[in-house]
Amino acid sequence: MGQASCLEALMTPKLRSILNADGSCAEELRDLVPDSDLLAILRIILLNRVMDRRLMTLQRQGRLGFYMTSTGEEAVTVGAAYALREDDPIFLSYREVGSLLWRKVPLNAIMNQLIGNAQDLNKGRQMPFHYCFREHHIPSVSSPVGTQLPHACGFGYAARILKTSQVALAFCGEGAASEGDFHTALNFSGVLNAQTIFLIRNNGYAISTPESVQTKACSLASRAEGYGIAGVRIDGTDLLMVVRAVRDAAERARGGGGPALIEALTYRMGAHSSADDPTRYRPEEEMRQWEKLDALARVRLHAKWRGIWTDTEEESAWADAEKAVSQMISECERLPPPPVESLFDDVYERMPAVLRTQKEEYLRFLRDRKR
Amino acid sequence: MADLVQMNMIQALNNALDIYMRREATAIIMGEDVGGFGGVFRVTEGLQQKYGAERVFDTPLAEAGIVGTAIGMALGGLQPIVEIQFADFVFPAFDQIVNEAAKYRYRCGGQYGLKMVIRMPYGGGIRGGHYHSQSPEAYFAHTPGLRVVIPSGPYEAKGLLLAALDCPDPVVFLEPKKVYRSVKTHVPKDYYTIPLEKAALVREGRDATLVAYGAMMEVAREAVLLAEGEGYDVEVIDLLSIWPYDLKAVLSSVEKTGRLLVIQEAPQTCGVAAELLAEVQRRAFTRLRAPLRRIAGFDTPFPYALEDHYLPSKERVLDVLRKTIEF
Ligand SMILES: Cc1ncc(C[n+]2csc(CCOP(=O)(O)OP(=O)(O)O)c2C)c(N)n1
């Protein structure tokens, strides 16, 4: 398939949104997400919400260093992970815990990272959200925005050359799409015919900066054309649309058809982070308008339309989620910080002599102080 | 000059910018979230409201674009004052700073110069992990053509920023974010400058010279009090200008005390301390009474959970002071 025809197929207006306002969808599109999967996704979104609420509270109580919610964006984060193969790497930015939950990363593993305790797989080295779960094909998150995009491109090329049939997906925000790395990644991916998907969570804001300051163009997806790759702009609060777009792009890339850029329109319903106060820069009524398009509300309505979800079921799902999160918090908060010696490990595979000396001198200093 | 106002470092920086923006119609402020929001640390708060969105504005999220564009603005006659949200995020702009801004004057034989200030919060102690804690001053000090300045408190911040703004060369202005709100001091209300290339003698002493800068000044002060309790009399120098630095001030102190300890929170190797120690050992060799010492961050990335171990502590400084003085 040529680039142009795929682009056209993906850009067909009726494909941009699947769920109707009343929760219904075209009968033949139901199978995009079978009933049992839809229920599993719904439960994960509920869990994600409970985590957001409880962990933000924990942060306010000074028990967690920092927190960022993804409330409102779960159709993208969970839906994309759902649409991929289990061994497709996902290069996260930071606001995508939903992808981890779909991948069945254990809650405690997530919480251990957020705390940075002795059981954290990253050994307490990074701030909250800087996950890495190799076993679940989640490479390491870093703060400088956009840096993961060329990585996903390179991985997608490796997958093609090594014939692993994996497709690498990278998330970024619309703010990050202004970085040079974004443009480099798209350009390289086209040139290298990488098995890569770039997924922009366009949630309207980069901290206080609205999308209109990032670009004069009215679509980020249209950038794909400039790099000769497929591009599509979708309703990112519509779970079925996200699944469809990511699945199409993944199948295409897996088949050698090249990379794709997906721009998913959504909304950051919460603050940028626990350090932010959005009332300083955006009107409350704007937030309220988006509540109608809330990912959870739309998935719930759709499940009800299918007749597979009741209020009673939802109540017990909330209760299950609360219980799981409580257990996660209490188990992980008990753990000690990583041992001091670990500070010096993993800078290199083998510790250089000069660093070993620094370590020994410091440990001696600590011992002498105790005496 | 006489009027003093209590300010924290954020307010002092904001005040310096305000004074300068009022005075220089060509000065503009640009960066991520610096407009209506006033910056994530609020250093530019209220300035867009005062000077308009053409002079104080948000940019797209792209540091290379911010600095590169600022260079062009300077060539075109504006005076850009750039904010990089965190020093850890300056690296996309590294090429523009190191290869373009730094070398512009030299490479064209002085036909053009770039009058611009690149501000950025730096440093640890705020539980920021790898990417909200780094101290990249040595990268910039290693680049001829740039000036690197680091204030330690509100008074220094305002005076140095105003001096940097008046300086015809590109200045990398690193602000210790740990100190942003932690202290309030008396700051003159009006315009004043603290000259670049000059260190400040903060405390006189006989037994050893302790040099620090930025957030490490607080550690230095605390360590010196502990040392005083043990009967040691330590001289303290606040370096302020990291490059070009005030070698004369350091030398004249070491010639008196015969002992030198430099503190930096950046990783040890190839850091600012190394540079000072090398010059001092050569020029004050005959006056030295103990090995020159430095205390620095370890040669690891900046950690999250163990940052208190990573950062030079007053106890570590005291330990080395004792060893140096008792050598
Ligand atoms: C290179 C770089 N510059 C600045 C920052 C500081 N920063 C952190 S998040 C953020 C906004 C990102 O917005 P966006 O990419 O739209 O993602 P969102 O937070 O909305 O999910 C900024 C400016 C950073 N992390 N990296």
Side-chain angles (χ1 to χ4, degrees), chain B residues 29-322:
Chain B
I29 294 175
M30 65 196 281
E32 294 155 14
D33 303 292
V34 300
F37 190 52
V40 294
F41 290 104
R42 304 276 184 272
V43 173
T44 57
E45 181 146 49
L47 297 178
Q48 185 183 65
Q49 289 79 345
K50 228 167 171 169
Y51 299 104
E54 279 192 339
R55 291 186 63 201
V56 182
F57 56 92
D58 292 336
T59 64
L61 208 184
E63 291 74 10
I66 294 171
V67 177
T69 310
I71 290 172
M73 290 176 183
L75 296 173
L78 291 176
Q79 191 188 337
I81 309 167
V82 161
E83 176 175 301
I84 300 291
Q85 202 162 77
F86 283 81
D88 311 71
F89 304 138
V90 72
F91 298 106
F94 203 55
D95 193 38
Q96 287 291 348
I97 297 175
V98 164
N99 276 331
E100 300 303 314
K103 298 173 176 56
Y104 221 101
R105 182 185 301 282
Y106 194 75
R107 78 191 195 196
C108 65
Q111 296 179 78
Y112 285 97
L114 295 178
K115 190 172 181 187
M116 60 190 283
V117 171
I118 307 174
R119 296 180 34 245
M120 55 189 106
Y122 85 97
I126 60 145
R127 302 276 288 168
H130 291 354
Y131 302 112
H132 297 79
S133 308
Q134 295 176 78
S135 299
E137 65 273 15
Y139 293 123
F140 299 113
H142 198 65
T143 304
L146 299 176
R147 291 175 181 274
V148 183
V149 175
I150 305 187
S152 53
Y155 172 78
E156 293 79 7
K158 178 173 171 182
L160 284 169
L161 183 53
L162 283 167
L165 289 167
D166 272 339
C167 173
D169 302 310
V171 180
V172 174
F173 196 87
L174 292 151
E175 301 163 4
K177 58 182 170 292
K178 181 166 195 274
V179 187
Y180 264 165
R181 294 176 191 279
S182 69
V183 281
K184 270 198 169 185
T185 54
H186 287 296
V187 175
K189 207 170 112 241
D190 298 330
Y191 178 91
Y192 68 95
T193 58
I194 295 177
L196 304 184
E197 296 184 51
K198 283 270 178 277
L201 179 62
V202 172
R203 183 189 195 275
E204 288 192 69
R206 277 171 290 111
D207 297 331
T209 303
L210 183 56
V211 176
Y213 53 91
M216 285 296 112
M217 276 305 293
E218 198 182 316
V219 176
R221 282 200 191 89
E222 288 171 357
V224 163
L225 284 183
L226 293 177
E228 194 176 29
E230 298 188 7
Y232 302 126
D233 185 19
V234 179
E235 182 143 310
V236 181
I237 291 177
D238 184 351
L239 199 57
L240 299 176
S241 275
I242 303 306
W243 176 258
Y245 57 79
D246 188 354
L247 183 59
K248 223 173 110 198
V250 178
L251 272 179
S252 62
S253 173
V254 176
E255 274 165 11
K256 180 174 75 177
T257 63
R259 301 179 179 90
L260 174 64
L261 168 58
V262 183
I263 323 177
Q264 72 185 35
E265 60 177 287
Q268 174 171 298
T269 298
C270 294
V272 170
E275 181 53 38
L276 282 178
L277 300 191
E279 283 301 308
V280 169
Q281 88 75 46
R282 183 191 147 203
R283 291 173 202 280
F285 187 69
T286 55
R287 311 295 276 270
L288 297 183
R289 293 195 265 180
L292 304 175
R293 294 290 302 264
R294 60 185 160 172
I295 298 185
F298 298 113
D299 285 326
T300 72
F302 198 102
Y304 178 68
L306 297 173
E307 84 167 335
D308 293 342
H309 288 283
Y310 179 88
L311 286 169
S313 61
K314 57 178 186 287
E315 292 83 8
R316 258 169 89 196
V317 176
L318 176 67
D319 181 57
V320 176
L321 273 177
R322 266 194 217 121

Side-chain angles (χ1 to χ4, degrees), chain A residues 14 59 64 70 73 82 109 123 134 161 167 223 247 258 283 308 311 344 350:
Chain A
K14 78 174 203 294
Q59 197 281 335
L64 196 60
S70 52
E73 302 185 47
Y82 169 74
K123 305 185 187 171
R134 186 167 184 171
I161 297 307
V167 170
R223 289 182 188 174
R247 192 175 283 158
I308 58 172
D311 291 347
F344 301 88
R350 262 192 297 160

Side-chain angles (χ1 to χ4, degrees), chain A residues 68 73 93-95 143-145 172-177 179 201 203 205-207 214 268 272, chain B residues 32-33 61 63 85-86 89 92 132:
Chain A
M68 290 175 122
E73 302 185 47
S93 61
Y94 39 72
R95 210 184 289 288
S143 311
V145 298
C172 74
E174 84 292 340
E179 290 283 359
R201 288 180 293 98
N203 63 13
Y205 288 90
I207 309 184
Q214 300 296 343
R268 199 194 74 207
H272 171 72
Chain B
E32 294 155 14
D33 303 292
L61 208 184
E63 291 74 10
Q85 202 162 77
F86 283 81
F89 304 138
H132 297 79

